[in-house]
C-alpha cells in the first residue's frame, strides 16, 4: 500500500543556503527592499515562512496533491497590474509603521522587475481593481433623498463606482512583536506552539523574518479620488469594519454590523460627492476573530442564562467560552490606512474605542466620530449596543449605568 | 537579547505515547467513536493534527503569545448546547459519507460525556443557534407580493426565523484521500510540502488521521422544521452558496452571487411556508477558493485583454493567473447535506453542474434545478452567466455557441 512508503527523504524544513532574495523591510528604494518570494518551485529562492493566499494556501496544496494543478505553475500576470495607483507613501519606508501587509504587494512585478528578469518567481500580495457596487440600502438612500445621484460616482439606480483592493496578510515578525511589546522569539514560539505545531520554520529559521499566515486578509473600497486620501486637507470618511457574516450577508438582527456598514458607505459617498473621499476597510475577523462557532455558542449562552440576554452580562458570556472578550488585535488594523498614506480622518464611522485608539496611537488624527443612527439599530441589537457604550464605545447620547444595563434585555432563544 | 535564547528544548513534533483518546471515524456508537481532542494543555490527550477554529487558530496563538489568553483556558460551555437537535442520522455512521466535518461536532459535550468526566478537554466544532434575519431583498419580495407574511416564519416587516449552524472544518484524512482517489500518504505529503511546510505531523504522525486545517468553515441556515429535511417526502429547497464577499456584502455587479443567494432564501421561505423546508449552505471559498487577491487580478486581466471582457475567454483568464479554473473541491461539499440527513432535494437553487454532480454522486437525489431569474442578473454579470452556461451550467434557455460567446461583452475597467 502506498501509505507505507518511507517518508524520511522529505525535507521537513529548509535551511539557509545563500540563494534567498533579501528583504529589507521598510527600505524606501524597492531595488534594496526586495520582493516577498514564497515560491515552492525554487525553494532556495524563498525568503518567507508560509505560502500565498492566506488560508486558501491549503486549497492550493490540495489542488497540487490531487493532480489538478502542476506544482511548478507560474502565474501569468499580464494585464493584472493595479487599476489605480496607490503610493509609494512615506509610511512605506518606516519599518514599524506597516508590519502586517506588504506595502509593495500591489506593484511587486513592476517595483521588483530586476528580480523578475532574473527568473525569481514572486507574485502580488495585493490586487487593485475598479468596480460598480449596488446595495439595496444605498438605493433606499437615493429614494429617500439622503443621497443625490450625480451620474458619475453615484447613478440614479444606485450604482456606485469604487476602486477596491484585496490584501493578503504578510507579517514582518520583528514589527509584529514590537507592536505587541514582546520579543520576536516569544512571538515565534507562541505562533508555533499554540497552533499545534504549524510551521517549525518559525523556530528553525530565525533568518526568515517574514511570515505569510494562513488567515483571512482584508478588502478596501475607496470612494472618490483615491489619491486625495493622503491629503489631510481633503475631507475623508473612513469605516473600518470587521466581518460579521450573519449580519453583513444574512441580516441577523442581533447586531448592528450591516446597518452600520451601509451607513458608512453612505457617509463615504456623501463625502466623496462633496469633493472629499471615503474608505471602507473590510477585515476577515469573524466573531471578533474568535470564529463563528464560538460566536454561536456565545449567542446560546447569552440567551439561555439566568435572567435572559442582558447588556449587563454581554461581555462575560464571550469571556466564559473564549477566555477573552475579543481577539481582533486592532493594533495591526491601522496598517492598511498607512498603506494608503492616510494621516487624518475627518469623519470616522465607528463607535469602537479600540479601533479609534489604535488608529490615533499609530499617528493618524481623527477629527470626528460618527455613531450609528439610532433608527438603524435592530431591536435585538440593543443589548450589544448598550453594553458596548457602557464599556467605552463612543456615543453622543447617555450611557447606561450598572442598574440600567440590567434592564436592557434581548429576545429569548426560542421566540 | 531575548531573541538569541536557545530554542532546542522546544518539542517540534509530538510522538505517540498511548494516552491519546481514540477516534474511530464513522462508528455509530459515540462511546466507541470518541471525541476530537485538540487541546494544547494536555498534549498527550491530543488525537488530531492542528487546533480549533480553522484559520482563527492563528489569532488564538497570537493571543496566548501576547499574554491576553491563559494557555490553559478551558471553555465554559454552560448553556451553549445546540438550539435545535440535528441527528444522529444513518449517514453519521458511514465513514466515507462525511469526511470534512465532525458529525458529532455539535453535541460532542453530550455524546462524549464519559471522556469529559475523565477531564479530557475537548470542545464543539459545530454550534447551532436560532436567529431572526432580515434582508432588503426579502422585504422587497413581501412588498411585491411574491412572499406572504405568516406571522411566524415570516413577519410583515420581513423578519425570517431560522435555525443556523456554524461548522468548522474537521478532515478525516483517509476519507479525504479516498474522495479524491489518492493515497493518504500522497495527500499528507501534498498538504505538507505545498503549504511550505505546515504541520510536519502530517508526515511524522501517520497514527493521527484527523486534521483540523486552517481554512474557513461553513454556515447553514435552515427554514421551517429542521427535522423534516431528512424526510424525503417533504419538499426541500436547497442552495449551496460559495462566498463572494464583493457581491454578497457589497453588491458588485460583475456576478450574480448575492441576487442568486437572495432568490435562494426566497425559495426556501416559500417551500417552508408550504409545509416543506429550506436549507442555505454558505461556504468560505472566496473566488472559487483562490482567494480575493487572485480574483481581482483576474478581473483586471479580463477587462484589459484584447477585445475586452468576453464570455468566450472568461475561464481562460482565471487559468492564466491561477493555473486552474476553480479550486472549490465540490467533492467535499455534500458532507454538510449528509450531516443533516438529507437524501432528496426537491428544488436545487443552483445552476452549477459541479455542485449538482457532486451532490448526486454522493447519493442525494435532486428532482428539480432552479436557475436564477433572468431579471436578477446584473448587466455586467452576463459575461460570467453566458460563459458558465456554455461550460455546462444548468439552464432552461438557449446556450451560446462559440461565436455568440464572443458577442457577450462586459464593461471596460475604467468605465
Amino acid at each position: 500500500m502506498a501509505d507505507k512508503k518511507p517518508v524520511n527523504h522529505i525535507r521537513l524544513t529548509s535551511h539557509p543556503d545563500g540563494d534567498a532574495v533579501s528583504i529589507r523591510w521598510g527600505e524606501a528604494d524597492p531595488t534594496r527592499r526586495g520582493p516577498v518570494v514564497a515560491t515552492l518551485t525554487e525553494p532556495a529562492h524563498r525568503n518567507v515562512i508560509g505560502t500565498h493566499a492566506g488560508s486558501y494556501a491549503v486549497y492550493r496544496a490540495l489542488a497540487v496533491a490531487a493532480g489538478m494543478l502542476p506544482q511548478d505553475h507560474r502565474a501569468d500576470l499580464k494585464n493584472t497590474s493595479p487599476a489605480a495607483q496607490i503610493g509609494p507613501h512615506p509610511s512605506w519606508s518606516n519599518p514599524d509603521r506597516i508590519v502586517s501587509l506588504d506595502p509593495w504587494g500591489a506593484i511587486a512585478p513592476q517595483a521588483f522587475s530586476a528580480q523578475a528578469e532574473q527568473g525569481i518567481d514572486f507574485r502580488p500580495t495585493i490586487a487593485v481593481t475598479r468596480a460598480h457596487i449596488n446595495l439595496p440600502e444605498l438605493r433606499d438612500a437615493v429614494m429617500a433623498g439622503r443621497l443625490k445621484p450625480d451620474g458619475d460616482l453615484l447613478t440614479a439606480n444606485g450604482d456606485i463606482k469604487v476602486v477596491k483592493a484585496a490584501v493578503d496578510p504578510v507579517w514582518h515578525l520583528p514589527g509584529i512583536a514590537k507592536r505587541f511589546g514582546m520579543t520576536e522569539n516569544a512571538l515565534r514560539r507562541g505562533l508555533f506552539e499554540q497552533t499545534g505545531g504549524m510551521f517549525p520554520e518559525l523556530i528553525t529559521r530565525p533568518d526568515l523574518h517574514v511570515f505569510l499566515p494562513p488567515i483571512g486578509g482584508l478588502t478596501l473600497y475607496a470612494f472618490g479620488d483615491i489619491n486625495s486620501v493622503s491629503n489631510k486637507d481633503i475631507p475623508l470618511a473612513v469605516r473600518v469594519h470587521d466581518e460579521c457574516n450573519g449580519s453583513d450577508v444574512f441580516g441577523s438582527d442581533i447586531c448592528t454590523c450591516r446597518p452600520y456598514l451601509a451607513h458608512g458607505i453612505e457617509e463615504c459617498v456623501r463625502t466623496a460627492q462633496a469633493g472629499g473621499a471615503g474608505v471602507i476597510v473590510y477585515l476577515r475577523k469573524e466573531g471578533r476573530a474568535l470564529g463563528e462557532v464560538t460566536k454561536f455558542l456565545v449567542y446560546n449562552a447569552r440567551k439561555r442564562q439566568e435572567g435572559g440576554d442582558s447588556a449587563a452580562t454581554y461581555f462575560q458570556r464571550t469571556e466564559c467560552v473564549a477566555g477573552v472578550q475579543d481577539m481582533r488585535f486592532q493594533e495591526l488594523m491601522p496598517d492598511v490606512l498607512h498603506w494608503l498614506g492616510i494621516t487624518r480622518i475627518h469623519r470616522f464611522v465607528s463607535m469602537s474605542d479600540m479601533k479609534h485608539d489604535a488608529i490615533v496611537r499609530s499617528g493618524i488624527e481623527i477629527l470626528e466620530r460618527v455613531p450609528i443612527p439610532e433608527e438603524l439599530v435592530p431591536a435585538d441589537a440593543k443589548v450589544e449596543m448598550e453594553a458596548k457604550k457602557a464599556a467605552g464605545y463612543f456615543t453622543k447620547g447617555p450611557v447606561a449605568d450598572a442598574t440600567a444595563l440590567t434592564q436592557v434585555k434581548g429576545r429569548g432563544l426560542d421566540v
Side-chain angles (χ1 to χ4, degrees), chain A residues 12 17 31 35 57 74 89 97 132 147 170 182 225 227-228 235 239-240 247 265 269 306 321 340 352 355:
Chain A
L12 288 186
D17 53 16
T31 63
R74 275 194 185 213
H89 292 290
R97 187 61 77 219
H132 292 196
L147 286 179
V170 178
M182 64 178 113
D225 180 4
N227 290 307
S228 79
R239 174 165 174 79
V240 177
S247 171
I265 296 172
V269 171
E306 206 176 328
V321 175
L340 293 171
S352 166
K355 292 177 185 168

Side-chain angles (χ1 to χ4, degrees), chain A residues 171-191:
Chain A
W171 285 9
H172 188 235
L173 293 170
I176 300 266
K178 199 166 168 186
R179 201 69 70 87
F180 293 112
M182 64 178 113
T183 65
E184 184 181 344
N185 198 35
L187 172 64
R188 287 169 174 268
R189 286 186 61 138
L191 287 174

Side-chain angles (χ1 to χ4, degrees), chain A residues 18-140:
Chain A
D19 284 344
V21 181
S22 296
I23 301 179
R24 296 183 189 85
W25 196 262
E27 182 66 56
D29 174 358
T31 63
R32 286 186 47 80
R33 207 319 283 267
V36 162
V37 185
T39 183
L40 292 166
T41 56
E42 279 293 346
H45 292 169
R46 286 168 57 80
N47 58 17
V48 300
I49 299 165
T51 49
H52 281 298
S55 55
Y56 294 102
V58 174
Y59 284 102
R60 186 195 158 280
L62 189 54
V64 174
M68 279 169 52
L69 174 65
Q71 65 174 35
D72 60 352
H73 169 76
R74 275 194 185 213
D76 170 2
L77 297 172
K78 185 178 175 189
N79 287 330
T80 63
S81 64
Q85 193 177 339
I86 295 170
H89 292 290
S91 53
W92 294 22
S93 53
N94 176 341
D96 294 330
R97 187 61 77 219
I98 298 175
V99 302
S100 62
L101 60 87
D102 178 8
W104 299 91
I107 54 173
Q110 296 78 42
F112 309 120
S113 56
Q115 287 88 345
E117 278 161 27
Q118 290 164 33
I120 308 287
D121 176 27
F122 57 91
R123 59 178 63 188
T125 57
I126 300 176
V128 183
T129 189
R130 290 178 187 272
H132 292 196
I133 65 174
N134 193 305
L135 292 87
E137 293 88 342
L138 277 290
R139 288 200 298 272
D140 291 349

Side-chain angles (χ1 to χ4, degrees), chain A residues 243-250 252 285-299 321:
Chain A
E243 173 173 29
C244 170
N245 190 258
S247 171
D248 295 343
V249 176
F250 288 94
S252 162
K285 293 182 181 172
E286 178 62 58
R288 303 188 200 143
L290 300 167
E292 212 180 29
V293 170
T294 296
K295 184 181 202 171
F296 288 7
L297 294 175
V298 170
Y299 285 162
V321 175

Side-chain angles (χ1 to χ4, degrees), chain A residues 250-302:
Chain A
F250 288 94
S252 162
D253 73 344
I254 201 173
C255 59
T256 58
C257 298
R258 183 171 171 100
Y260 210 173
L261 176 64
H263 184 66
I265 296 172
E266 190 175 325
E267 288 284 341
C268 285
V269 171
R270 203 163 12 241
T271 308
Q273 286 182 325
V279 170
I280 301 282
V281 182
Y282 192 93
L283 300 113
R284 302 307 184 291
K285 293 182 181 172
E286 178 62 58
R288 303 188 200 143
L290 300 167
E292 212 180 29
V293 170
T294 296
K295 184 181 202 171
F296 288 7
L297 294 175
V298 170
Y299 285 162
N300 285 350
R302 277 175 55 189

